[in-house]
Amino acid sequence: MPGRAVQIVAAAAIALAAMATTLSGTVWRSANRTPRANEKVFECTKLGVGSRYTVVRSTKDTSGDSLSIRELVRAGSPGFTPGRSGSPPPHIHKRETECFIVHSGSFSYEVDGVIGHLKPGDTPACIPPGMTHQFWNSNNITDLDMQFTVTPAGNFESFIRTMCGLATDAGSAADINPLQMMVMFVGGGMEIAAVPTPVWLFIERIVVPLLRMLRIYQPTYPEYTV
């Protein structure tokens, strides 16, 4: 990246950090975060239309070898991609393999542009590190009951607990400040696929450390994580 462009992006990062100080609502402050760190079952919204998570094997249970969580994606849950109910943003795990099985409902997923489907009894779909992927409830009438396992566990349990804690306190994941979301993704060892890699590296190495250093946002909070 040319030197002038680096200067412009750096200035933008500082401006974003300053904006975040103003835009961050009271929900992100400690007094407004509801303690839920020890919950085995937790929600990812307070609107009753999001996902419910049940920890099957925690990071602590496996000494960090893996993490297994059962997720109920309710029919009609909002997603990051229109038309894909309950979908996270397309993302990349840098170190972890993520495997999915379906207990009931309709599960669809996309890996590096290829769409697949799972039904109960199918062989697990496993996505290795470095591959862009997204998943969703492909039936707007029936809830999706599925389970994912992340190997190794990494920081994913802290990530999902923090995201759901913030989403529940705020109303939904869509209400989480985008800068907070970036800090969480970096802390969870992930990359948001829609962001070009050079830009994401700048976010990862400059923007996020700046936000953390200024104590504007953190990747986890003690109210939410074990």
Side-chain angles (χ1 to χ4, degrees), residues 95 181-190 200 203-204 208 219:
R95 294 174 292 275
M181 190 69 79
M182 288 192 295
V183 172
M184 289 191 299
F185 266 81
V186 170
M190 290 175 285
W200 186 261
I203 290 170
E204 184 177 73
V208 168

Side-chain angles (χ1 to χ4, degrees), residues 34-50:
T34 305
R36 49 174 59 89
N38 295 314
E39 294 179 349
K40 182 177 180 179
V41 180
F42 52 94
E43 296 282 340
C44 217
T45 178
K46 66 179 180 183
L47 303 178
V49 295

Side-chain angles (χ1 to χ4, degrees), residues 104-120:
S104 66
S106 300
F107 177 91
S108 294
Y109 61 96
E110 182 174 354
V111 181
D112 281 353
V114 178
I115 293 178
H117 309 278
L118 281 183
K119 61 182 184 297

Side-chain angles (χ1 to χ4, degrees), residues 13-24:
I14 295 171
L16 285 172
M19 288 172 57
T21 305
T22 302
L23 295 176
S24 57

